[in-house]
C-alpha cells in the first residue's frame, strides 16, 4: 500500500495519540474475553500457562493483564511514553520495554508467542513480519486481534454510520481492512481467522469515554470531538434510556505459526 506524505503524518500522529489519554484509555476501552484466549490455545495447541509471550504495542497492559491471568510469562513492548507509564502503574513488576514492532528489542528465538492486541496496524509489515519471525522460536506463533464493533446490531450499525459520516470513512469495511493489514510479505505466515463475540454493559459516560479514546477522535480538534460526543449521547440515550449501554464486539483473531524458511 502506498501512502501520501499527508497520510503518513496522520498515521504517525494517530499511532502516538494514545499517550495523552493513557488513563482514559485504560479505564474505558473494552478488554478481551476468556474465549479469545481459549481460541489462541486451541490454534497453537499449547497452554498459555508457562509460555513465553511478547505482547507488542502493549499500551496500558489491557491484553498483558489477561495473558498474565492465564499464567503466561509476558514481556511487554510499547513505544509510547504515556502508555508505558500507565502500564507500569497498573502492572508493576511486569517488564515493559520501550520499542516498537518494526524493530523489536528482543532476542532471536526468545518467544513462544507474539501478541498484538489492536496494535499490528500501526506497524509496517515489511519490517514487523521479519522481526516477528526473528523473535519467535521455530514453531512459535504470531497472534493479532482487534475488538471490532458488531455491525449486525442495529444501534451499533447506526452509530458506526454516524461516525463514518463524521470522518468521511466507511467503518463497515473495518473487518476487511484487517485482512489487508495482515498481507504477509514473507510467505512464512499462514493466518487462520477466528471471530469471538462478546458484550459488556457500561454507563453512557464510560461508553462515550471509550469512543473518545480512539485515535481519529484524538487527532481532530477537541471541539469537533466534544460536539460529536454530545450528539452521540443523545442518540445512545434514545436506545438505552436507563443510561446503561450494551456494547457488543466481535474480536477478530488472526493467528499464524512460524513455518521454517523454504
Ligand atoms: C490501540 S492501542 C492497543 C494497546 C493494547 N495492546 C490494548 O490492547 O489495549 C495501540 C498501541 O500500539 C502502540 N503502537 C504505536 N505504533 C506502534 C508500532 N509501530 N509497533 C507497536 N506498537 C505500536 C501505541 O503506542 C498503542 O499503545
Amino acid at each position: 500500500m502506498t501512502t501520501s506524505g499527508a497520510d503518513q503524518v496522520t498515521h504517525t500522529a494517530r499511532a502516538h495519540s494514545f499517550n495523552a489519554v493513557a488513563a482514559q484509555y485504560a479505564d474505558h476501552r473494552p478488554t478481551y474475553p476468556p474465549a479469545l484466549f481459549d481460541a489462541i490455545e486451541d490454534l497453537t495447541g499449547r497452554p498459555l500457562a508457562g509460555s513465553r509471550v511478547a505482547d507488542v504495542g502493549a499500551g496500558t497492559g489491557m491484553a498483558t493483564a489477561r495473558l498474565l491471568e492465564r499464567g503466561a510469562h509476558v514481556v511487554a513492548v510499547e513505544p509510547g511514553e504515556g502508555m508505558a507509564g500507565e502500564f507500569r502503574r497498573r502492572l508493576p513488576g511486569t517488564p515493559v520495554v520501550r520499542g516498537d514492532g518494526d524493530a523489536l528489542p528482543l532476542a532471536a528465538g526468545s518467544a513462544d508467542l507474539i501478541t498484538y492486541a489492536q496494535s499490528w496496524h500501526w506497524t509496517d509489515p515489511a519490517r514487523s513480519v521479519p522481526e516477528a519471525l526473528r523473535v519467535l522460536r521455530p514453531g512459535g506463533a504470531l497472534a493479532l486481534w482487534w475488538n471490532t464493533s458488531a455491525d449486525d446490531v442495529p444501534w451499533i450499525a447506526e452509530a458506526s454510520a454516524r461516525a463514518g459520516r463524521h470522518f468521511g470513512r466507511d467503518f463497515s469495511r473495518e473487518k476487511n481492512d484487517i485482512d489487508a493489514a495482515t498481507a504477509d510479505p514473507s510467505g512464512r505466515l499462514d493466518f487462520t481467522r477466528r471471530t469471538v463475540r462478546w458484550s459488556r454493559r457500561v454507563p453512557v459516560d464510560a461508553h462515550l469515554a471509550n469512543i473518545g479514546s480512539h485515535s481519529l477522535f484524538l487527532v481532530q480538534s477537541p471541539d469537533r470531538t466534544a460536539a460529536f460526543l454530545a450528539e452521540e449521547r443523545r442518540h445512545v440515550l434514545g436506545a438505552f434510556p436507563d443510561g446503561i449501554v450494551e456494547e457488543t464486539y466481535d474480536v477478530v483473531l488472526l493467528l499464524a505459526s512460524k513455518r521454517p524458511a523454504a
Side-chain angles (χ1 to χ4, degrees):
M1 186 175 66
T2 54
T3 49
S4 71
D7 285 347
Q8 189 55 49
V9 170
T10 307
H11 183 87
T12 303
R14 287 180 60 195
H16 294 137
S17 66
F18 307 103
N19 290 296
V21 296
Q24 175 185 343
Y25 185 106
D27 285 343
H28 299 297
R29 279 292 186 103
T31 180
Y32 307 107
L36 169 68
F37 301 94
D38 295 342
I40 291 171
E41 290 183 333
D42 184 35
L43 290 170
T44 61
R46 183 192 158 114
L48 284 163
S51 290
R52 297 167 303 163
V53 181
D55 186 27
V56 185
T60 63
M62 296 190 70
T64 311
R66 303 284 84 80
L67 291 161
L68 292 170
E69 283 165 10
R70 302 289 284 226
H73 302 298
V74 187
V75 172
V77 176
E78 167 55 41
E81 188 176 344
M83 295 298 259
E86 197 62 30
F87 182 107
R88 290 193 184 95
R89 273 187 286 283
R90 294 188 184 237
L91 294 174
T94 301
V96 53
V97 188
R98 296 287 298 284
D100 69 43
D102 297 336
L104 288 171
L106 301 171
S110 61
D112 300 311
L113 176 67
I114 298 179
T115 54
Y116 277 85
Q118 319 233 146
S119 51
W120 180 256
H121 54 290
W122 299 124
T123 74
D124 172 5
R127 298 168 67 196
S128 53
V129 168
E131 274 298 83
L133 291 170
R134 179 182 67 78
V135 169
L136 285 173
R137 67 158 168 83
L142 174 64
L144 322 175
W145 68 82
W146 292 263
N147 259 325
T148 67
S149 48
D151 283 333
D152 57 321
V153 177
W155 82 267
I156 293 176
E158 287 163 21
S160 293
R162 284 192 295 276
R165 283 194 294 278
H166 181 80
F167 289 113
R169 298 166 72 108
D170 180 1
F171 287 110
S172 65
R173 292 181 50 227
E174 188 183 21
K175 289 172 199 171
N176 297 333
D177 290 347
I178 288 173
D179 285 338
T182 54
D184 166 23
S186 76
R188 291 176 66 191
L189 296 170
D190 188 10
F191 286 100
T192 298
R193 181 182 174 124
R194 291 266 180 99
T195 303
V196 175
R197 176 157 292 197
W198 71 287
S199 62
R200 67 172 189 169
R201 287 162 58 77
V202 293
V204 65
D205 284 338
H207 173 70
L208 297 174
N210 169 18
I211 295 174
S213 75
H214 284 77
S215 60
L216 280 169
F217 287 100
L218 296 171
V219 298
Q220 72 170 358
S221 84
D223 287 353
R224 276 202 85 205
T225 293
F228 179 89
L229 293 178
E231 183 66 10
E232 199 57 19
R233 175 187 297 276
R234 201 176 60 72
H235 285 290
V236 171
L237 286 175
F240 298 97
D242 67 355
I244 302 297
V245 181
E246 179 159 19
E247 300 175 345
T248 304
Y249 295 100
D250 288 324
V251 188
V252 177
L253 166 68
L254 293 151
L255 188 141
S257 292
K258 172 179 166 178
R259 280 201 292 248

